[in-house]
Amino acid sequence: DTQNPAWRALTPSQQEQTVFEERHLRYISLLGKGNFGSVELCCYDPLGDNTGELVAVKKLQPSKKSSMEDFKKEVKTLSVLHCEYIVKYKGVCYSMGRLSMGLVTEYLPYGSLIGYLENNRHKVDTRRMLLFASQICKGMEYLQSLRFVHRDLAARNILVASESLVKIADFGLTKIIPCNKEYYRVTQPGESPIFWYAPESINESRFSHESDVWSFGVVLYELFSYCDINSNPKRLYMQQIGHNVQTPSISLHLANILKSNWRLPAPPDCPAKVYSLMKECWLYDFMERPCLLIPEETRLKSSCRMSE
Ligand SMILES: N#CCCn1cc(-c2nc(Nc3ccc(C4CCNCC4)cc3)nc3c2CCN3)cn1
């Protein structure tokens, strides 16, 4: 796979997928549904004696235009990531012959950050939010060291493993930055989460570590607003743009208000230092935004040199 140096770094045996037999995967409940397909809670019980393990199985919606190719890239991406702040890959499962494929990962019992913050506001103080924010940063730092751009960093894609651990999930839009460039240009924007996008991503479909930093700023905002529906980024941007604006020109209006330096407001009771960090992440010029890694630290720099 020329695109993915991290994948090429694996030996052939490491590149093999762990296959979960469909017949031993017992459906328990639906965990989430999105434009990608669905995520189910299953028990993988090959011995048939209920000693199996709980797993999350993400299934592509067969009808969905997001092709099997994209799904296979997502599986490959997740299978080379080993970080405690990124949801753990377990393997794949096939059904309908080999027609449809599922991505098997660890099950995180507390669900997405959105639901968790809504239902546990009393348990999450500033200190806990900063712990979660630092864990997301460490996950993003690891991703960046492998030259990955997540492109869909948002509270809905952060999962809660325990009351003191969150993990980055959903690598459906993740791309690897080519060795000789510092950004990824997307051709087919598809259904884009534009309210989490940096201006250069909206205007030029340019995605980079700096545009992930912008999205991290929006995640900080969601965290410190307890993912409250009244502070939802899409809702506040649409209030500013005007609710009557129709789809094709929303991104144009959004780009304009960002150009005129309008930004999401400080969440209620948000510490001043945290809001100023959000504003730094939302600097219009991507070169001025805070960075997670200094370029030398990218682990794959050397492998890039090798392949040039
Ligand atoms: N990311 C992303 C978007 C797609 N998505 C991913 C998951 C997912 N959920 C869980 N766990 C999970 C989910 C919900 C609950 C409850 C919450 C209260 N209400 C009832 C349900 C509990 C635990 N574990 C996972 C995953 C993927 C890997 N492991 C769900 N949606």
Side-chain angles (χ1 to χ4, degrees), residues 5-295:
W7 175 259
R8 268 203 339 250
L10 300 177
T11 63
S13 64
Q14 285 171 320
Q15 286 188 4
E16 269 155 39
Q17 312 277 27
T18 311
V19 177
F20 286 72
E21 305 258 342
E22 167 89 6
R23 59 197 166 102
H24 297 318
L25 271 174
R26 186 161 31 88
Y27 172 83
I28 296 176
S29 64
L30 181 69
L31 294 174
K33 211 162 173 50
N35 56 17
F36 52 89
S38 63
V39 179
E40 299 173 351
L41 173 60
C42 293
C43 177
Y44 187 63
D45 192 26
L47 302 179
D49 60 1
N50 251 342
T51 60
E53 62 169 338
L54 291 179
V55 292
V57 184
K58 178 172 180 178
K59 290 197 169 145
L60 193 63
Q61 197 142 9
S63 60
K64 199 67 211 141
K65 62 180 182 305
S66 61
S67 69
M68 178 61 111
E69 281 324 299
D70 291 348
F71 193 57
K72 282 180 179 166
K73 278 188 188 159
E74 179 181 352
V75 171
K76 260 191 180 177
T77 298
L78 201 55
S79 66
V80 300
L81 301 177
H82 303 289
C83 170
E84 60 189 307
Y85 305 113
I86 290 178
V87 70
K88 273 189 182 36
Y89 167 81
K90 283 179 172 289
V92 292
C93 66
Y94 295 100
S95 46
M96 296 177 337
R98 283 222 161 194
L99 271 183
S100 105
M101 177 183 180
L103 167 59
V104 184
T105 58
E106 65 174 319
Y107 166 63
L108 281 88
Y110 290 80
S112 96
L113 188 57
I114 294 186
Y116 180 77
L117 287 178
E118 281 169 350
N119 304 324
N120 295 279
R121 199 182 260 250
H122 55 289
K123 281 187 198 166
V124 183
D125 59 6
T126 304
R127 186 182 165 74
R128 182 54 43 93
M129 285 181 194
L130 290 172
L131 172 69
F132 288 168
S134 65
Q135 291 172 343
I136 297 164
C137 270
K138 286 174 189 160
M140 289 309 291
E141 187 181 354
Y142 172 81
L143 265 184
Q144 184 176 329
S145 71
L146 293 176
R147 299 180 67 77
F148 283 111
V149 183
H150 188 281
R151 295 188 53 240
D152 197 6
L153 192 59
R156 64 180 173 276
N157 292 332
I158 303 295
L159 296 171
V160 184
S162 75
E163 307 216 330
S164 58
L165 177 62
V166 293
K167 301 193 181 199
I168 301 169
D170 207 324
F171 292 78
L173 298 180
T174 302
K175 302 286 182 188
I176 199 156
I177 295 182
C179 284
N180 55 350
K181 292 203 306 190
E182 288 313 304
Y183 61 89
Y184 188 94
R185 183 87 62 195
V186 166
T187 46
Q188 77 296 355
E191 278 146 52
S192 308
I194 59 168
F195 299 104
W196 278 257
Y197 274 6
E200 69 275 12
S201 307
I202 300 168
N203 295 325
E204 310 153 40
S205 298
R206 186 191 196 281
F207 293 86
S208 61
H209 300 316
E210 296 80 20
S211 59
D212 269 354
V213 165
W214 176 289
S215 304
F216 172 74
V218 184
V219 172
L220 256 190
Y221 169 87
E222 293 183 277
L223 245 179
F224 280 81
S225 336
Y226 291 95
C227 291
D228 185 286
I229 185 70
N230 298 314
S231 310
N232 176 280
K234 177 171 182 174
R235 185 195 191 101
L236 266 65
Y237 277 122
M238 287 311 289
Q239 265 168 8
Q240 194 63 21
I241 291 173
H243 285 282
N244 57 344
V245 170
Q246 297 310 313
T247 309
S249 57
I250 287 181
S251 50
L252 200 68
H253 285 76
L254 178 59
N256 286 341
I257 61 168
L258 293 177
K259 182 76 181 147
S260 66
N261 223 17
W262 186 87
R263 293 293 184 272
L264 291 165
D269 307 324
C270 176
K273 275 190 173 179
V274 175
Y275 189 55
S276 63
L277 176 61
M278 287 182 214
K279 304 273 277 196
E280 279 187 68
C281 293
W282 298 333
L283 286 170
Y284 195 85
D285 177 355
F286 56 81
M287 296 310 284
E288 291 177 22
R289 292 174 205 154
C291 69
L292 288 160
L293 276 183
I294 42 181

